[in-house]
Amino acid sequence: MSDFINNFWSVYVAAITLIGIFGCLLLLILVASKKVVPSGDNTTGHVWDEDLRELNNPMPKWWMGLFVITVVFSLGYLVVYPGLGGFSGKLDWSQTGAYDKEMAKAKADLEPLYAKFTSMPTEEMAKDPQAMAIGERLFMNNCAQCHGSDARGSKSFPNLADGDWLHGGSPEKIRETITNGRIGMMPPMAAAVGSAEDVRNVAHYVLSLSGSPHDAVKASQGKSKFVACAACHGMDGKGNPALGAPNLTDDIWLHGWGEAAIVNIVNNGKHNEMPAQKEKLTEAQIAVLASYVWSLSNTQNQK
């Protein structure tokens, strides 16, 4: 009920709830006390389909008792659990609190399983079948939605198995990325590059850096304009892991390949974000997951 802006709505919801419960009980009492004068054959006089007649038998006592028990139970429930507006109940129960307790218990139960890996170097952990099996499951549950079940990513989601790392692929950097997440941002650069023609020329120069198909004349004209991009990508176009600036010479295109894709990024910039996992995973889980991710591009070290 934290969305209520004042106490009125809390009282309103509580009143509606109680009125509904006691209204049902009152309706039952009124119906039970109403007597219908039966005819000689104990019917109410209502007839359907020519010969279907409604008997005037009273409601069974067991049904009446069950209804009253239900009302009493609902009132008891509202005293113990939330349901009356902003009243949280005597047990102070909430879905969030229950979830947090279950997650805390699950993490505590799993600690012994991860204990053997906490002091193990990443390279050694990558050779441990049990650690890799756990790491793969963690990856499927927390990373595969974006990077794919094979970790090869897709457009705008990095391939984790190719050895190309925007922020560095060391075990420490991978663990840092998983823990704190990453925010990648390239600002719109069209104004700094020049005219629309200059932007297209720069796009061809960028294509030339990786030996991709390009127009050599436009690439030569775009080289001087590339200086606007060199602050992040370097004059040689090999990027800067400290900034997360991609290497433009390796023919790996995270956001699409070709003149149109590059022109679009130069004109409009790009914003990518990987969420931090430190609130979802324990340090031990992050260590195992980081080792699994590291192993994907370092398979030779597992032999």
Side-chain angles (χ1 to χ4, degrees), residues 9 16 20 22 38 45 52 67 85 151 153 166 170 181 190 234 257 265 303:
W9 292 109
I16 291 296
F22 286 111
L52 267 177
F67 192 96
L166 293 178
S170 67
W257 172 89
I265 292 176
K303 298 177 181 179

Side-chain angles (χ1 to χ4, degrees), residues 64-84:
M64 296 277 289
L66 184 62
F67 192 96
V68 172
I69 290 173
T70 302
V71 171
V72 173
F73 173 83
S74 64
L75 293 173
Y77 181 93
L78 291 174
V79 170
V80 177
Y81 292 101
L84 291 176

Side-chain angles (χ1 to χ4, degrees), residues 11 15 24 37 66 69 86 91 104 129 138 154 165 198-199 207-208 216 227-228 236 238 241 254 275 277-278 284:
V11 174
C24 288
V37 179
L66 184 62
I69 290 173
L91 294 182
L138 288 170
S154 60
W165 298 91
D198 290 331
V199 172
L207 288 169
S208 73
V227 68
D236 57 3
K238 291 188 176 180
L254 179 59
Q277 301 296 311
K278 60 185 176 182

Side-chain angles (χ1 to χ4, degrees), residues 11 55 87 107 109 152 157 173 204 215 258:
V11 174
L55 296 179
F87 178 62
K107 288 179 180 180
D109 292 340
R152 297 189 179 277
F157 298 101
K173 278 295 181 182
H204 282 275
D215 185 308

